[in-house]
Amino acid sequence: MALNLDDIKRIAHLARIEVSDSEAQETLSKLSGILGLIEQMQAVDTTGITPMSHSQDVTQRLREDVVTKTNQRELFQSIAPATQDGLYLVPKVIE
């Protein structure tokens, strides 16, 4: 896909970005380079290559999905000034 200067100016207009002619020319050069690199990568024959989820062959250590902490609500609420039905009661601050 080839871009031209009018494409760059149109994109800049749609993005509400003001660009001078020299900035548009510089942007055209950079984007053309990026698009050229993408075309080179797309031209590589990847037939028979298994897609990878990560560039390195690593796995995460997993632990057993078991409960390691016990419920301590009653212990924590024992020092609270006021509780009711398992909830902390606080003074009304908005009238």
Side-chain angles (χ1 to χ4, degrees):
M1 176 179 184
L3 294 175
N4 60 38
L5 206 52
D6 290 333
D7 294 330
I8 300 299
K9 289 182 178 179
R10 184 167 187 272
I11 293 169
H13 174 73
L14 292 173
R16 303 293 189 245
I17 299 172
E18 183 177 337
V19 293
S20 65
D21 288 342
S22 64
E23 290 171 330
Q25 186 63 43
E26 183 179 339
T27 303
L28 174 62
S29 175
K30 290 179 180 177
L31 287 177
S32 295
I34 292 169
L35 293 175
L37 181 61
I38 291 171
E39 286 178 4
Q40 286 179 0
M41 290 190 295
Q42 288 178 334
V44 174
D45 182 17
T46 58
T47 304
I49 296 176
T50 306
M52 300 183 320
S53 62
H54 195 276
S55 61
Q56 299 176 355
D57 189 22
V58 294
T59 58
Q60 286 188 330
R61 294 182 301 162
L62 300 176
R63 62 171 173 75
E64 292 291 323
D65 188 17
V66 295
V67 176
T68 57
K69 303 269 182 170
T70 58
N71 184 358
Q72 299 181 349
R73 178 194 299 175
E74 291 179 13
L75 173 66
F76 296 144
Q77 289 188 342
S78 67
I79 59 172
T83 61
Q84 180 180 355
D85 299 329
L87 304 174
Y88 293 91
L89 300 179
V90 295
K92 185 176 181 179
V93 293
I94 299 175
E95 295 182 19

